[in-house]
Amino acid sequence: MNLIGDAASAIKAVWGDLLTPPEPTVYGGGGGGSGGFEMSPSELQTVIGLWQDELQKVSDDGDKIEDILFELMPPGQDDVSSSYVDSGLESLQALKKQNESMKEYIVGYIAKLELAKTKTMATDAANTMRSS
């Protein structure tokens, strides 16, 4: 059993290939103005859907972390093997905590987006009533 290789495989299973930089994301939009932006309810729903997809990915990563924690055992009965695995478990526990924090953040962000969508729909409805 190659623990360094296994650890690298475990990290890659959770986070993907961290050595290859991602392609840059280009966002549209102009400069200047008041710094605000507007979205229609359908655009907000699209963004909410993207964050829900991200939440699923983070949850899946959490499941992988749990699986690795459950399966990680020392290759031998000696102190060095046990110490190495204990260090790995500490790292994985920190990763698990970070994953749970990320899930909390995403859930809260989705709730804020849902609220913004509700407010936008209410404002649009009120504006439509005034225009009639």
Side-chain angles (χ1 to χ4, degrees), residues 70-120:
F70 182 74
E71 295 290 329
L72 191 61
M73 292 187 203
Q77 300 299 320
D78 58 290
D79 290 340
V80 173
S81 295
S82 295
S83 176
Y84 188 80
V85 169
D86 288 345
S87 295
L89 289 172
E90 287 176 24
S91 296
L92 286 166
Q93 289 294 344
L95 181 61
K96 179 181 173 186
K97 184 177 178 182
Q98 189 270 343
N99 177 270
E100 290 168 354
S101 176
M102 195 180 310
K103 281 191 275 190
E104 271 183 51
Y105 175 82
I106 294 172
V107 167
Y109 196 69
I110 290 171
K112 289 176 184 177
L113 289 170
E114 291 281 1
L115 181 61
K117 183 178 97 174
T118 301
K119 287 181 178 181
T120 300

Side-chain angles (χ1 to χ4, degrees), residues 7-27:
S9 295
I11 290 168
K12 192 170 184 177
V14 173
W15 294 104
D17 184 5
L18 297 176
L19 300 176
T20 304
E23 292 294 319
T25 303
V26 179
Y27 297 99

Side-chain angles (χ1 to χ4, degrees), residues 2 4 6 15-16 21 28 32-33 43 49 56 58 99 110-111 114 123 126-127:
N2 179 351
I4 293 174
D6 291 344
W15 294 104
E43 290 170 323
Q56 184 60 54
V58 171
N99 177 270
I110 290 171
E114 291 281 1
T123 301
N127 289 340

